[in-house]
Amino acid sequence: MTDSLALLADDEVAVAAACAGAGVVRRLYGRRLTRTDKRDGDFATAADIEAEEAILGVIRAARPDDAVLGEEGGQRGTAAQGGRLWLVDPLCGTLNYAVGSMLVAVNVALAGGAAAVADPFSGEVFFTDGAAARVRRDGVDTPLAPTSATRLVDVNLDPPFPGAPGFRAVDLLAGREFAERFRPRVVSTTLALAWVAAGKRAAYVTDGGDLSGSVHFAAGIALCRAAGCVVTGIDGGPPDGAGRGLVAAAYVDTHRLLMSMIRG
């Protein structure tokens, strides 16, 4: 098994790891799970922790020399200058999961390279090799095709709100122009970014700091970029370094329109 995993390309390693985590999430769904308090009201369930271990098992077997940064377990291994680092969020949408909602995702990304987002309940796996983006359904791979035709825009309303008072997502939703052009949805999970890449959403907006190296967002950002979406911070700059927050839109026109609303 280890030898066969070692032969896989990075994108297939990401897919295999995400699927391993998704299998745990699916198996434990609906059970009474122990919770571990973290900070600011956040928590992890036994499903988060077990799914991360399953993901780590795949990455260790396939890429034993790579470092891994996990949402629950922190960093294992050392990513030296120019080294390889995997970013893992084993259960994006823990609160949804804990209350019985299936709107969750499993995120695995190699920093600057391949990434995969698995939907444990639809069976879809969205993935990229860093250049092209695809979705795997029932063993069949299909290129992702962003479109703004749905007019649906996911807006993350979870804290923190570093953009306030200059930018508040709730104000965007209340704006007359936004209501005339788009239909809001609120899904606090990387699933929303995968849906933008797949044409199920026109755009996704969230406040925040530098999200490019976040275990929560790295896989979704990689997917959107590879699919040809327009991806920036809420200030219009790159969503890394000095950038903050995230606006991922299917088309340039959609992104330009959202940015005009955000700027006021």
Side-chain angles (χ1 to χ4, degrees):
M1 178 65 173
T2 300
D3 290 342
S4 61
L5 285 172
L7 296 175
L8 295 177
D10 286 337
D11 59 330
E12 291 295 347
V13 172
V15 168
C19 286
V24 173
V25 171
R26 196 164 48 246
R27 174 170 55 81
L28 295 181
Y29 178 74
R31 300 188 186 184
R32 291 181 60 87
L33 301 173
T34 57
R35 298 188 183 190
T36 302
D37 290 329
K38 297 199 289 189
R39 60 193 177 280
D40 300 326
D42 194 12
F43 62 91
T45 69
D48 296 70
I49 296 168
E50 188 173 331
E52 183 165 299
E53 287 304 314
I55 292 167
L56 287 173
V58 172
I59 295 175
R60 286 193 188 110
R63 302 291 189 268
D65 296 327
D66 291 357
V68 180
L69 176 61
E71 164 71 5
E72 308 308 332
Q75 185 160 327
R76 282 107 156 166
T78 302
Q81 186 72 24
R84 290 162 52 96
L85 175 66
W86 293 85
L87 303 165
V88 174
D89 186 356
L91 180 48
C92 186
T94 298
L95 181 56
N96 282 346
Y97 186 79
V99 298
S101 170
M102 294 181 177
L103 290 175
V104 301
V106 177
N107 306 332
V108 178
L110 175 61
V117 175
D119 182 336
F121 299 104
S122 74
E124 294 175 312
V125 185
F126 307 88
F127 67 101
T128 177
D129 57 4
R134 301 178 177 85
V135 59
R136 183 167 295 172
R137 300 184 185 92
D138 300 322
V140 178
D141 295 347
T142 306
L144 294 181
T147 175
S148 59
T150 67
R151 299 176 63 205
L152 299 175
V153 176
D154 270 304
V155 182
N156 187 353
L157 299 179
D158 284 351
F161 307 117
F167 169 76
R168 297 195 311 165
V170 67
D171 292 337
L172 180 66
L173 296 182
R176 184 174 61 111
E177 187 179 8
F178 183 91
E180 290 173 349
R181 301 295 189 98
F182 300 111
R183 293 292 177 267
R185 294 292 182 272
V186 181
V187 178
S188 300
T189 171
T190 305
L191 211 51
L193 282 169
W195 288 346
V196 174
K200 298 181 179 184
R201 292 290 190 268
Y204 173 82
V205 180
T206 185
D207 198 353
D210 174 4
L211 303 180
S212 61
S214 165
V215 296
H216 303 291
F217 290 93
I221 290 173
L223 272 176
C224 285
R225 282 176 164 164
C229 301
V230 182
V231 183
T232 71
I234 58 173
D235 54 1
D240 49 37
R244 58 189 178 85
L246 188 66
V247 180
Y251 293 150
V252 171
D253 289 348
T254 304
H255 182 271
R256 186 182 296 119
L257 182 57
L258 283 168
M259 290 305 302
S260 71
M261 296 176 189
I262 288 170
R263 290 167 174 161

